[in-house]
């Protein structure tokens, strides 16, 4: 007996009174929802993913998309998603994959943390009138300085500092490879970070030639597939990141299907055109922490100890101890990627069930490094689930030096978080390599949007700091006194080392 | 609010506490009568080689013996006695102040380069964290803190502060917000030879505390000021920075200013900010810090609390109010208002 049709996920309707029959919906939909039959536009709602491309381009607001127009008998255990996963696997016998980040309704810790502000006993600072410093340095710091002062002579600094990345706002863009996203999407973000004075990651996809003008703002990535890595690539980047894991799929590797490996992607990744690009789960030269140390040193040696080396791991139960190991490996920064981090494609079982939230991971990593007296040896970069400036402020209070954003940068370019990146036909031209779709992006216009977003967050961050009576970001970092937990349980309050509201 | 005053005689001439009391009382407008305190350097010449531990006991019978035992375990009590106090109508004597002169047994801290200081610091942190009815609120050599809950003049008279003669004084008139009426919460705060008085609120306290605690200090006083004493101890005693460099780390110039400096200076200032970012103190404050050789006053980076300095002969004064300085010496000269983050430093001539 066949399983048959399941209820529609979305129902698309066109208001005939409003529709002018222009056909823009047909042109724009890359999922095949619309087709023209004779003089009318026909709709196949079953193909709709709610990416809203049609909605955005309908000149008459004639289109309506209704979510879950029909549903199963409600059941608290056997939810719609569970039932459909069973149907799916009963039909295919395969691992189910999905895009974007974790789609289960876990409580969001950020939304249960509130920030502080000054009243009377200390004045809040107005960022419009007083200096407000968000400049951040990413990299190793000495534990103390040796300074020689002699009367009549210039004061001399005897300690030699490691190279640090200087950023004017603690917001960077994380690693999304050419392959996972389109070239114009990368170009737009590269222009944005270049103008703002911050950085973005290349992902494990190499560095396309058209991005060379922005290379001083690019962090190049060395991941388990080593795609696109050669000495030229390493030397172009401002920093090098070793990717061990990703928040959306901790413990597993990556897979870029052959159909996304067009000639240009193939060249940039240095692999044959049309071949699957498979990044193994572990690095096959890293089977222990001391192997990681060798790779860190190898990369530093290759680039003459001029570039900071980051190590990125997924936020997992033991992140704190792992980060302590990384801090001793010679790495300059550790990136912790929380379980809400996005992905072009991941097995849903990993995306939704493996890893821990970034808030708890950062709190425990920062605490562990302090406990061991090695916090200065690495900067902490938080990524995975940073949605707004308040999240940035809160995660810095919990101990992060800076953040990587991913999904929010894509949303700034039009992404509607439909979660269908894995299909490779992104109607917004972001998560696709199809030329007819990628040309929908205008690198310049989108660069302005990404720039605006980061600028807006930076302004809000400055206001939040000013309200808290803080004029320098280093006084916010790890300042958990300025956070309170609202309806968080005692165990979590202890992990976050934050008091409850009212206390 | 809060009012502070510091004075150093750079030629080591002694001043009795009477005028300091009168000066502090000039600033009663800045306090609330719930806490005041004094520290004087040079008051115990007969015991100058020993650590003078001032302790508040909740109950002598119950709390003193355990402390005696602990001290005897770590060294020798050369002499100990009750600190003389004189009943005041406005002060309720909730603690018994006691002083010990203590010599640590440095063989117990074999790996340390500063064994005496490390033993005393350890004892102060341990006793104060345990909260067993004893609080060590002063632990330097040839100096002592005198404080209580009350108006400056009452606290001074309670201890008869005019009977003490020192070459360096700090005093503080408190308007409490964090902990009211707690004797331990009154200023000055002291650790070893470092003493601090502070007007303001440190908005970076959480960051500073985490930083200092990773070096083994314990914040036990429920107030942000003690962190200043520990930070200065760390930066100057343990890291070997000069007072100027320490102040530069605690209240550094803005990046915009650093970016305009000549290359060498820029490199130095950038290194200080990178290294000591977690020690940077934010929020409104005016602070006087002293040790046996010097007095340093400084404010936050945008000077949200007042600080003036003045000189007369060998004496350097630093205070919240000019009037408080003039109360000690009406002919004071060189009244200046230091810029934000810029330290005023007075050192002994020899």
């Amino acid at each position: 007996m066949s399983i048959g049709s399941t209820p529609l996920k979305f129902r698309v309707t066109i208001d005939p009174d409003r529709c002018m029959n222009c056909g823009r919906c047909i042109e724009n939909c890359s999922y095949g929802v619309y087709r023209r039959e004779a003089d009318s536009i026909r709709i196949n709602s079953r193909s709709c993913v709610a990416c809203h491309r049609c909605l955005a381009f309908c000149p008459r607001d004639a289109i309506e998309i209704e979510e879950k127009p029909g549903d199963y008998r409600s059941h608290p255990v056997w939810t719609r998603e569970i039932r459909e996963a069973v149907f799916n696997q009963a039909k295919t016998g395969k691992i189910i994959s999905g895009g974007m980040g974790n789609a289960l309704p876990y409580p969001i810790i950020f939304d249960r943390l509130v920030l502080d502000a000054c009243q009377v006993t200390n004045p809040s600072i107005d960022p419009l009138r007083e200096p407000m410093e968000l400049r951040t340095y990413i990299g190793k710091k000495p534990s103390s300085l040796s300074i020689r002062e002699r009367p009549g002579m210039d004061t001399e600094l005897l300690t030699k500092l490691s190279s640090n990345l200087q950023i004017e706002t603690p917001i960077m863009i994380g690693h999304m490879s050419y392959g996972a996203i389109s070239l114009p999407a990368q170009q737009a973000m590269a222009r944005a970070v270049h103008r703002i004075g911050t950085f973005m990651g290349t992902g494990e996809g190499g560095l396309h030639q058209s991005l060379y003008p922005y290379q001083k703002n690019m962090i190049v990535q060395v991941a388990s597939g080593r795609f696109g890595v050669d000495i030229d690539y390493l030397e172009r980047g401002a920093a090098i990141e070793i990717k061990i894991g990703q928040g959306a799929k901790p413990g597993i590797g990556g897979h870029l299907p052959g159909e996304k490996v067009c000639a240009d992607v193939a060249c940039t990744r240095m692999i044959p055109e049309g071949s699957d690009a498979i990044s193994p789960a572990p690095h096959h030269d890293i089977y222990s922490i001391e192997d990681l140390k060798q790779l860190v040193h190898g990369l530093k040696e290759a680039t003459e100890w001029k570039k900071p080396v980051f190590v990125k791991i997924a936020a997992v139960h033991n992140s704190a101890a792992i980060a302590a190991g990384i801090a001793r490996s010679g790495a300059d920064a550790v990136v912790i990627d929380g379980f809400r981090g996005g992905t072009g494609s991941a097995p849903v079982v990993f995306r939704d069930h493996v890893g821990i939230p970034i808030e708890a991971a950062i709190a425990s990593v920062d605490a562990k490094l302090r406990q061991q007296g090695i916090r200065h040896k690495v900067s902490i970069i938080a990524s995975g689930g940073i949605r707004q400036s308040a999240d940035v402020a809160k995660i810095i209070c919990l101990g992060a030096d800076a953040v990587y954003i991913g999904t929010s940068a894509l949303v700034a370019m039009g992404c509607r978080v439909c979660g269908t990146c894995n299909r490779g036909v992104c109607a917004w031209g972001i998560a696709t390599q199809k030329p007819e779709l990628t040309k929908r992006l205008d690198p310049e216009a989108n660069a302005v949007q990404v720039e605006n977003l980061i600028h807006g967050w930076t302004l809000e961050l400055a206001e939040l700091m000013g309200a808290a009576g803080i004029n320098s970001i280093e006084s916010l970092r790890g300042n958990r006194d300025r956070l309170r937990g609202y309806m968080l349980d005692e165990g979590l309050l202890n992990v976050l080392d934050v008091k409850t509201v009212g206390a | 609010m809060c009012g502070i005053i510091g004075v150093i005689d750079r030629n080591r001439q002694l001043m009795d506490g009477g005028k300091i009391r009168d000066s502090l009382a000039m600033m009663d407008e800045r306090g609330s009568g719930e806490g005041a305190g004094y520290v004087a350097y040079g008051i115990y010449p007969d015991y100058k080689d020993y650590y003078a531990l001032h302790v508040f006991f909740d109950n002598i019978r119950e709390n003193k013996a355990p402390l005696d035992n602990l001290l005897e375990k770590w060294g020798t009590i050369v002499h100990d006695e009750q600190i003389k106090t004189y009943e005041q109508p406005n002060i309720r004597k909730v603690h018994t102040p006691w002083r010990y002169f203590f010599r640590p047994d440095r063989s117990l801290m074999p790996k340390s380069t500063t064994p005496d200081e490390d033993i005393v610091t350890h004892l102060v942190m341990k006793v104060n964290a345990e909260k067993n009815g004893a609080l060590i609120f002063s632990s330097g050599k040839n100096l002592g803190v005198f404080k209580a809950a009350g108006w400056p003049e009452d606290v001074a008279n309670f201890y008869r502060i005019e009977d003490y003669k020192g070459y360096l004084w700090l005093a503080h008139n408190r308007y409490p917000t964090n902990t009211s009426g707690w004797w331990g919460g009154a200023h000055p705060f002291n650790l070893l030879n470092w003493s601090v008085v502070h007007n303001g609120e440190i908005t970076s306290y959480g960051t500073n505390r985490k930083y200092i605690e990773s070096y083994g200090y314990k914040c036990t006083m429920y107030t942000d000021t003690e962190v200043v004493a520990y930070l200065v101890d760390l930066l100057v005693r343990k890291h070997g920075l000069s007072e100027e460099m320490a102040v530069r780390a605690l209240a550094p110039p803005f990046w915009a200013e650093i970016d305009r400096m000549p290359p060498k200076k820029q490199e130095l200032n950038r290194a200080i900010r990178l290294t000591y970012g977690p020690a940077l103190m934010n929020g409104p404050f005016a602070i006087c810090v002293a040790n046996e050789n010097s007095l340093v006053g400084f404010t936050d980076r945008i000077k949200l609390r007042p600080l003036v300095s003045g000189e007369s002969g060998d004496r350097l004064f630093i205070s919240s109010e000019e009037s408080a300085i003039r109360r000690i010496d009406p002919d004071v000269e060189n009244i200046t208002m230091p810029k934000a983050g810029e330290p005023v430093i007075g050192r002994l001539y020899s």
Side-chain angles (χ1 to χ4, degrees):
Chain A
M1 182 68 195
S2 121
I3 288 166
S5 287
T6 53
L8 283 178
K9 284 199 176 69
F10 305 100
R11 177 181 287 135
V12 184
T13 50
I14 298 178
D15 182 344
D17 293 341
R18 289 178 169 272
C19 178
M20 60 190 253
N21 216 1
C22 68
R24 283 190 177 85
C25 48
I26 307 174
E27 284 160 30
N28 273 286
C29 181
S30 54
Y31 293 91
V33 173
Y34 305 98
R35 66 181 190 281
R36 189 177 288 282
E37 273 183 17
D39 267 353
S40 65
I41 296 170
R42 292 303 186 116
I43 300 167
N44 174 13
S45 288
R46 197 163 289 280
S47 296
C48 179
V49 298
C51 77
H52 284 198
R53 181 78 190 182
C54 56
L55 220 93
F57 284 84
C58 175
R60 291 279 176 89
D61 286 337
I63 300 171
E64 246 182 50
I65 299 174
E66 186 189 352
E67 191 168 10
K68 294 178 190 162
D71 212 337
Y72 300 81
R73 174 182 90 90
S74 62
H75 193 281
V77 179
W78 293 94
T79 61
R80 178 178 184 128
E81 290 73 22
I82 294 276
R83 273 177 271 193
E84 290 190 345
V86 172
F87 293 147
N88 187 340
Q89 288 186 306
K91 286 183 203 162
T92 63
K94 294 199 171 140
I95 291 171
I96 302 170
S97 63
M100 303 292 346
N102 197 316
L104 287 189
Y106 295 105
I108 298 176
I109 299 173
F110 278 133
D111 296 342
R112 297 190 178 200
L113 286 171
V114 288
L115 289 157
D116 192 18
C118 295
Q119 300 287 299
V120 187
T121 56
N122 48 15
S124 38
I125 303 168
D126 183 350
L128 292 176
R129 291 177 176 78
E130 303 281 352
M132 191 56 65
E133 299 188 316
L134 280 83
R135 184 185 292 182
T136 301
Y137 285 85
I138 302 293
K140 210 176 269 310
K141 318 284 190 293
S143 64
S144 63
L145 288 181
S146 178
I147 297 171
R148 190 192 295 155
E149 288 176 276
R150 283 171 300 185
M153 309 269 283
D154 276 354
T155 306
E156 240 184 300
L157 174 68
L158 304 176
T159 311
K160 179 101 183 72
L161 265 66
S162 315
S163 55
N164 271 250
L165 292 190
Q166 179 186 321
I167 41 181
E168 298 305 328
T169 174
I171 304 163
M172 301 185 281
I173 300 179
H175 290 255
M176 292 174 282
S177 71
Y178 176 33
I181 60 169
S182 65
L183 191 57
Q186 272 202 341
Q187 288 163 340
M189 293 190 294
R191 288 182 195 199
V193 294
H194 183 72
R195 290 178 202 157
I196 292 165
T198 183
F199 295 84
M200 72 174 273
T202 58
E204 190 192 21
L207 183 69
H208 190 268
Q209 278 192 10
S210 66
L211 297 170
Y212 289 175
Y214 314 104
Q215 63 189 26
K216 291 289 156 246
N217 297 86
M218 307 286 286
I219 300 163
V220 297
Q221 194 177 63
V222 174
S224 61
R226 301 289 151 87
F227 298 124
V229 178
D230 64 5
I231 187 66
D232 178 63
Y233 172 69
L234 296 179
E235 278 174 353
R236 286 184 186 279
I240 303 166
E241 177 167 314
I242 300 170
K243 177 196 175 183
I244 300 294
Q246 184 177 343
K249 40 182 169 178
I252 62 170
H255 180 181
L256 186 70
E259 56 261 32
K260 282 189 178 175
V261 183
C262 60
D264 219 17
V265 169
C267 278
T268 312
R269 293 203 173 208
M270 304 172 193
I271 55 170
E273 191 177 341
S275 64
D276 286 10
I278 296 175
S279 307
H283 286 242
H284 284 303
D285 55 356
I286 303 179
Y287 275 70
S288 68
I289 191 80
E290 57 271 25
D291 294 344
L292 174 72
K293 181 176 173 181
Q294 288 190 350
L295 183 57
V296 170
H297 285 214
L299 292 170
K300 281 186 173 278
E301 194 65 37
T303 51
E304 297 173 331
W305 296 81
K306 285 180 188 154
K307 295 180 195 294
V309 172
F310 302 177
V311 178
K312 170 172 157 180
I313 57 166
V316 290
H317 305 182
N318 208 22
S319 303
I322 300 163
I326 293 170
R328 293 186 171 84
S329 74
D332 301 277
V334 52
V335 183
I336 313 286
D337 196 19
F339 83 154
R340 288 182 200 284
T343 173
S345 177
V348 169
V349 65
F350 279 83
R351 188 194 67 183
D352 293 353
H353 299 279
V354 183
I356 63 168
I358 190 64
E359 303 92 325
I362 292 294
S364 60
V365 167
D366 178 64
K368 176 76 88 185
L369 295 182
R370 282 178 196 283
Q371 224 174 54
Q372 301 190 5
I374 52 176
R375 177 65 183 84
H376 61 280
K377 286 181 187 267
V378 281
S379 289
I380 300 175
I381 300 166
S383 83
I386 310 289
R387 308 156 297 164
Q388 51 189 341
S389 61
D391 296 352
V392 181
K394 290 170 189 176
I395 205 73
I396 290 175
C397 286
L398 289 172
D401 290 84
V403 303
Y404 272 163
I405 58 170
T407 305
S408 25
L410 302 186
V411 173
M413 294 193 284
C415 164
R416 297 297 204 263
V417 196
C418 73
T420 331
C421 327
N422 55 315
R423 300 258 304 267
V425 289
C426 173
W428 291 90
I430 297 168
T432 176
Q433 299 307 326
K434 293 186 185 302
E436 67 276 19
L437 297 174
T438 62
K439 72 175 184 204
R440 292 178 176 185
L441 285 184
D442 171 357
E444 181 48 35
N446 284 286
V448 172
Q449 285 158 221
V450 174
E451 199 186 341
N452 281 345
L453 177 78
I454 297 178
H455 185 61
W457 285 18
T458 304
L459 288 178
E460 289 180 341
L461 201 51
E463 291 284 346
L464 288 171
M465 282 166 54
I470 284 173
N471 59 15
S472 177
I473 192 107
E474 48 260 61
S475 299
L476 193 69
R477 191 175 308 136
N479 199 343
R480 303 183 193 196
D481 287 25
R482 309 313 295 276
L483 284 177
R484 288 290 186 270
Y486 186 38
M487 308 287 275
L488 286 172
D489 66 68
E490 199 180 342
L492 201 44
L493 287 173
N494 286 337
V495 167
L496 300 175
D497 191 14
V498 162
K499 290 180 188 161
T500 175
V501 285
Chain B
M1 289 292 270
C2 303
I4 60 177
I5 174 125
V7 51
I8 179 172
D9 188 299
R10 289 172 284 201
N11 203 21
R12 238 184 238 278
Q13 293 304 302
L14 302 180
M15 302 165 265
D16 80 50
K19 282 201 165 165
I20 308 292
R21 171 194 59 205
D22 300 343
S23 159
L24 193 63
M26 277 300 288
M27 295 188 283
D28 275 356
E29 183 67 22
R30 304 188 72 87
S32 69
E34 289 168 275
Y38 303 80
V39 60
Y41 288 70
I43 55 172
Y44 297 133
D46 297 345
Y47 292 97
K48 65 180 166 43
D49 297 327
Y50 308 110
Y51 289 90
L53 307 180
H54 284 195
V55 182
F56 285 140
F57 284 116
D58 288 357
N59 182 324
I60 292 290
R61 287 171 193 274
E62 198 178 321
N63 310 129
K64 187 167 180 299
L67 182 61
D68 289 354
N69 288 338
L70 182 70
L71 292 177
E72 292 290 1
K73 207 189 285 177
W74 284 92
T76 313
I77 299 170
V78 178
H79 174 69
D80 76 303
E81 64 190 9
Q82 190 168 343
I83 296 175
K84 273 192 187 164
T85 56
Y86 305 86
E87 205 169 303
Q88 300 296 318
N90 296 325
I91 290 186
R92 201 166 71 85
K93 188 174 173 182
V94 291
H95 299 289
T96 308
W98 206 274
R99 69 168 67 90
Y100 290 86
F101 293 104
F102 176 68
R103 184 176 62 222
D105 179 353
R106 60 182 64 172
S107 71
L108 297 174
M109 207 54 101
K111 281 184 191 146
S112 168
T113 51
T114 52
D116 289 355
E117 284 94 337
D118 286 357
I119 289 173
V120 173
T121 306
H122 168 77
L123 288 171
V124 172
M125 297 293 154
K126 181 178 161 64
V127 170
N128 293 352
E130 281 173 0
K131 300 186 172 60
N132 280 333
L135 181 88
I136 305 178
F137 60 95
S138 182
S139 54
K141 285 181 178 174
N142 201 9
L143 68 90
V145 172
F146 302 90
K147 60 187 183 181
W151 288 103
E153 52 277 25
D154 294 332
V155 173
N157 295 337
F158 177 68
Y159 288 107
R160 277 210 192 141
I161 206 75
E162 63 271 30
D163 290 351
Y164 295 94
K165 291 179 177 58
Y167 60 88
L168 194 168
W169 285 84
L170 294 181
H172 183 267
N173 185 350
R174 185 163 188 239
Y175 190 129
T177 50
N178 283 326
T179 52
S180 73
W182 184 52
W183 288 27
H187 300 211
F189 284 91
N190 164 282
L191 178 69
L192 301 172
N193 285 356
W194 296 110
S195 305
V196 178
V197 287
H198 163 219
N199 165 24
E201 190 165 316
I202 301 172
T203 55
S204 56
Y205 175 65
T207 302
N208 303 143
R209 195 190 69 205
K210 284 258 158 30
Y211 176 68
I212 206 74
E213 284 181 346
S214 74
Y215 285 95
Y217 296 86
K218 292 191 185 79
C219 294
T220 52
M221 308 282 187
Y222 310 106
T223 181
D224 48 5
T225 307
E226 63 175 326
V227 84
V228 183
Y230 308 156
L231 283 171
V232 174
D233 183 56
L234 177 74
L235 267 50
V236 178
R237 182 171 69 87
K238 291 199 171 164
H239 290 182
L241 298 187
S242 66
E243 286 92 350
E244 282 95 341
M245 289 301 134
V247 169
R248 174 109 346 173
L250 301 178
F254 285 92
W255 287 119
E257 191 185 328
I258 294 173
D259 290 347
R260 288 196 300 268
M261 291 175 178
K264 280 247 164 201
K265 207 173 167 195
Q266 193 180 110
E267 190 195 358
L268 172 70
N269 281 277
R270 174 167 293 120
I272 290 174
R273 286 202 65 175
L274 259 65
T275 309
Y276 293 111
L280 185 156
M281 294 195 310
N282 232 302
F285 64 78
I287 287 175
C288 283
V289 184
N291 68 6
E292 70 278 23
N293 298 314
S294 57
L295 167 67
V296 181
F298 63 105
T299 61
D300 64 86
R301 306 200 300 156
I302 49 177
K303 201 169 182 186
L304 293 169
R305 288 288 190 272
L307 198 71
V308 281
S309 71
E311 284 181 291
S312 96
D314 293 332
R315 290 184 185 173
L316 172 78
F317 303 91
I318 305 174
S319 178
S320 306
E321 306 270 0
E322 186 180 334
S323 60
I325 298 177
R326 291 199 181 276
R327 185 72 182 80
I328 302 179
D329 186 345
D331 302 322
V332 64
E333 292 168 341
N334 298 336
I335 287 282
T336 47
M337 298 185 189
K339 283 189 198 148
E342 205 169 83
V344 181
I345 301 178
R347 283 200 184 86
L348 296 180
Y349 294 139
S350 54

